[in-house]
Amino acid sequence: MSRRIALSVAAGVVVLGGAGAFALAHAGEQPPASAHSTARYVAPDGDRDGSLTFVTDVTASSGVKSVKVLAWPQSSSLAKDELTTKDMAAAESAVCKPSGKDTARCTYTTKVTASDAESSPRGAWHIAVLATAQDGTTTLDTKAADFTIG
């Protein structure tokens, strides 16, 4: 191999190595992200209460600090005004358990009484999620999952 080719290869390795180190450093600064989110609504039946269960996997490089969950009807004013992190301050918390290196499986469950179901708007509903990492970064997903009240 000629000296020029050897120097070019060596320079390329240094450049690629530097880019790889930058990519790893940058990956460590990513805000929390939710994935594989599902919502399951079970209507009350007779004397039996129903339920709403929401499950999501949240990944945060610094660790998951908290996950807040808010169910909202598509027919509400939130559809045009857009939810904000301030709106999520009073939302209920999900229970999160570690499920991987930087990932937690978070579950929110609430019972739905017959009177809750009767007073709730019919149609499409969305689940909003505010994920907060240990380092304080947050991510708001206003439509992490959907369900229907019929």
Side-chain angles (χ1 to χ4, degrees):
M1 177 176 352
S2 77
R3 187 165 191 214
R4 186 181 309 159
I5 293 174
L7 286 173
S8 294
V9 169
V13 168
V14 169
V15 169
L16 289 176
F22 174 77
L24 285 174
H26 183 67
E29 300 170 8
Q30 297 300 312
S34 62
H36 312 293
S37 301
T38 60
R40 182 168 185 250
Y41 172 77
V42 176
D45 186 19
D47 324 358
R48 185 181 55 82
D49 287 336
S51 64
L52 171 63
T53 301
F54 171 75
V55 178
T56 190
D57 293 327
V58 178
T59 302
S61 56
S62 67
V64 177
K65 180 178 181 181
S66 68
V67 172
K68 294 204 168 206
V69 177
L70 176 69
W72 59 277
Q74 182 170 314
S75 61
S76 74
S77 63
L78 295 174
K80 63 180 174 189
D81 295 338
E82 299 264 338
L83 276 167
T84 66
T85 55
K86 189 183 279 190
D87 296 324
M88 296 294 290
E92 295 184 23
S93 295
V95 174
C96 298
K97 296 180 181 178
S99 63
K101 182 180 177 219
D102 298 329
T103 304
R105 162 91 19 128
C106 301
T107 305
Y108 169 79
T109 302
T110 189
K111 75 177 184 176
V112 178
T113 65
S115 63
D116 292 336
E118 285 177 27
S119 64
S120 295
R122 301 288 179 249
W125 282 64
H126 305 289
I127 302 281
V129 175
L130 177 64
T132 303
Q134 290 291 347
D135 66 7
T137 57
T138 61
T139 300
L140 176 61
D141 183 352
T142 59
K143 294 181 181 176
D146 303 313
F147 64 97
T148 302
I149 295 180

